[in-house]
Amino acid sequence: MQRFFFSIAALLGMAGCITSCKSDRAALPVYPASAFESVIDNKPVTLYTLANSNGLTLQVTNWGCRVVSLWVPDRRGNFDDIVLGYESLDRYLNNPGERFLGSTIGRYGNRIHDGRFELNGEAYQLSQFNNGQCLHGGDKGFDKVVWNVDSVFSDKIYFSYLSPDGEEGFPGNLLVKMSYALTPQNEFRITYDAQTDKPTPVNLTHHSFFNLHGEGNGTINDHILTIAADAYTPVDSVLIPLGENMPVADTPFDFRTPKAIGRDVDNQDTQLQYGRGYDHNFVLNRKSNSELEFAASVYEPQSGRVLEVWTTEPGLQFYGGNFFEGKVNGKQGVPHRFRESLALETQHFPDSPNQPAFPSTILQPGEKYHHICVYKFACKD
């Protein structure tokens, strides 16, 4: 697969912790827009490349707003692409592997039991395809639509999508506006805003799969994870919440102090058996209802890379790549293997429309949905 080299200026003098990351690379191998140019549903699709002044570089296609590549330096200034993905649009369209690589998720991230819910006395049936559940918005969720590109700058892009009333069974015309930005603080900042003309569940999130070694460069079980959560949401055998949150204390789900992801992942805990590892919502220790607050951090000791997650949301889904089978190669020509990537999805809780004890996900006409997710990168010596 041919790749282009994108010139990077000002690689030295990185802000914050990354001041110790001395870069010796003047160019990065990024993918050409031509590999993503097409027309789908009568709308143009292509690939966009963003970069900040420090060299952080992201490529995104407007088909599903998928992050295709994300180049981040290590402590020695060597850049690696740390997200899973494919090198062409065709690979995403004809994909026998993981569906949600790098995509925007909606109208409802995570699972809804039996694809059903009631709202104001009316029953709604959504598409079912994940053990009979509705997962990540349905058969044609926001990951499979062409988003409008409203404007593009060197370090920021604005998208919008109008989800029509009845799409995938959800009520109401939902207008979503979203931006991806690379800030001078080495943040990948995602901002979501939405409005509806009928009451409807809304739970938008982002689904990049990260490996701080670089895509295809080995396990994530050696990554050191911290999650600011005193409780998590236990599930049944098809990963639907049981309806209550449980303390993480004295369980394999306690990441309040940093520990290797692999330390307890093979524990014979029933919850880990249901998810083949970690695939659970964590109830974040929040001080406010809507301010941007710390949620989690991941540290990879070999490279020194650090990823922090900040959010306005009450929950964080931590998924440890348990369902990858190594049968499909990524864009580096290396298989996407079992537990060689992780997702950290900021969100409201799974199945909230059927769980009255959980924070509501119902957006009313006249209200505004607003959600910020920040993935912030740094280095440790």
Side-chain angles (χ1 to χ4, degrees):
M1 173 66 196
Q2 181 188 14
R3 286 187 283 179
F4 288 178
F5 284 79
F6 180 74
S7 295
I8 302 297
L11 288 176
L12 300 178
M14 294 186 177
C17 186
I18 296 191
T19 53
S20 63
C21 299
K22 298 179 180 178
S23 175
D24 57 4
R25 297 189 66 173
L28 296 175
V30 297
Y31 297 94
S34 59
F36 288 80
E37 289 174 349
S38 185
V39 175
I40 299 174
D41 296 334
N42 297 314
K43 298 172 72 173
V45 177
T46 190
L47 184 71
Y48 300 86
T49 301
L50 310 179
N52 74 355
S53 58
N54 301 319
L56 199 71
T57 302
L58 179 148
Q59 292 191 282
V60 55
T61 174
N62 59 317
W63 190 71
C65 291
R66 295 171 182 274
V67 172
V68 172
S69 63
L70 178 55
W71 293 86
V72 177
D74 65 9
R75 66 164 64 92
R76 293 170 292 277
N78 298 316
F79 280 76
D80 282 297
D81 181 1
I82 63 160
V83 296
L84 273 58
Y86 301 126
E87 72 279 7
S88 69
L89 179 62
D90 182 71
R91 295 276 324 273
Y92 287 100
L93 293 172
N94 301 288
N95 173 23
E98 168 62 43
R99 166 181 162 181
F100 299 105
L101 294 181
S103 65
T104 290
I105 301 297
R107 188 178 295 197
Y108 197 95
N110 220 305
R111 294 170 176 85
I112 295 178
H113 182 44
D114 287 339
R116 298 175 184 173
F117 66 92
E118 289 190 6
L119 181 57
N120 296 333
E122 186 171 350
Y124 293 90
Q125 179 64 61
L126 313 174
S127 60
Q128 300 167 274
F129 68 94
N130 182 260
N131 294 317
Q133 319 310 315
C134 181
L135 173 65
H136 289 338
D139 184 60
K140 189 177 181 180
F142 288 2
D143 63 299
K144 285 188 173 183
V145 302
V146 180
W147 288 68
N148 301 317
V149 178
D150 297 329
S151 57
V152 185
F153 301 89
S154 62
D155 57 1
K156 192 170 187 178
I157 187 167
Y158 291 86
F159 302 101
S160 63
Y161 178 67
L162 178 60
S163 176
D165 185 16
E167 184 174 57
E168 292 300 304
F170 289 96
N173 295 291
L174 183 74
L175 176 61
V176 181
K177 295 188 176 183
M178 183 175 63
S179 66
Y180 288 177
L182 298 181
T183 74
Q185 293 74 39
N186 293 298
E187 300 169 339
F188 168 31
R189 177 179 286 249
I190 307 170
T191 303
Y192 310 85
D193 291 284
Q195 293 180 280
T196 182
D197 60 2
K198 291 182 182 178
T200 189
V202 181
N203 189 27
L204 308 179
T205 192
H206 180 76
H207 214 312
S208 277
F209 288 85
F210 298 99
N211 183 327
L212 297 186
H213 292 297
E215 184 196 35
N217 286 342
T219 185
I220 52 91
N221 281 343
D222 60 353
H223 290 31
I224 309 301
L225 176 63
T226 306
I227 302 178
D230 291 336
Y232 78 103
T233 307
V235 294
D236 63 17
S237 61
V238 292
L239 304 182
I240 294 296
L242 300 177
E244 58 182 346
N245 298 316
M246 298 294 292
V248 299
D250 300 319
T251 77
F253 295 85
D254 192 349
F255 288 94
R256 292 174 296 177
T257 57
K259 72 175 181 181
I261 291 171
R263 194 184 82 177
D264 298 322
V265 72
D266 291 320
N267 185 291
Q268 294 304 302
D269 182 278
T270 300
Q271 287 295 308
L272 291 177
Q273 292 176 9
Y274 285 159
R276 297 180 63 186
Y278 296 106
D279 191 7
H280 294 75
N281 175 67
F282 285 75
V283 182
L284 297 174
N285 299 335
R286 294 192 55 83
K287 300 176 182 177
S288 70
N289 290 327
S290 59
E291 296 299 314
L292 190 65
E293 297 182 20
F294 174 79
S297 67
V298 187
Y299 168 52
E300 195 282 286
Q302 182 177 343
S303 69
R305 292 188 180 98
V306 178
L307 165 60
E308 289 185 355
V309 183
W310 294 70
T311 186
T312 56
E313 293 293 282
L316 179 78
Q317 185 83 7
F318 165 44
Y319 170 56
N322 311 311
F323 293 95
F324 286 93
E325 298 178 336
K327 295 180 180 179
V328 177
N329 288 348
K331 52 188 182 291
Q332 306 296 333
V334 177
H336 290 162
R337 298 187 181 95
F338 180 64
R339 293 182 184 165
E340 290 194 358
S341 64
L342 63 94
L344 296 166
E345 305 156 65
T346 61
Q347 61 174 18
H348 270 61
F349 303 168
D351 197 37
S352 290
N354 296 312
Q355 304 283 353
F358 289 176
S360 175
T361 57
I362 304 303
L363 181 66
Q364 300 287 348
E367 295 180 342
K368 292 184 178 180
Y369 173 95
H370 182 69
H371 170 185
I372 299 174
C373 170
V374 174
Y375 297 109
K376 183 174 182 177
F377 298 95
C379 292
K380 282 186 179 180
D381 291 328

